[in-house]
Amino acid sequence: AEMGKRGHEAALAEYSWPHHARHFVANLEQWAGATR
């Protein structure tokens, strides 16, 4: 159970949307030719 808890915490910290959203959206904008 403890290992599962640590795995879940690591996944939330490293692989969740909030962690990657800014970079992902910036890539989409670049690929689409959008500028701010």
Side-chain angles (χ1 to χ4, degrees):
E2 185 60 32
M3 187 168 38
K5 179 183 173 192
R6 287 192 315 264
H8 185 254
E9 289 170 353
L12 286 176
E14 297 296 325
Y15 303 108
S16 64
W17 174 249
H19 186 73
H20 295 282
R22 186 176 307 208
H23 181 70
F24 179 77
V25 171
N27 280 337
L28 290 178
E29 290 175 341
Q30 182 181 6
W31 297 332
T35 59
R36 285 189 172 194

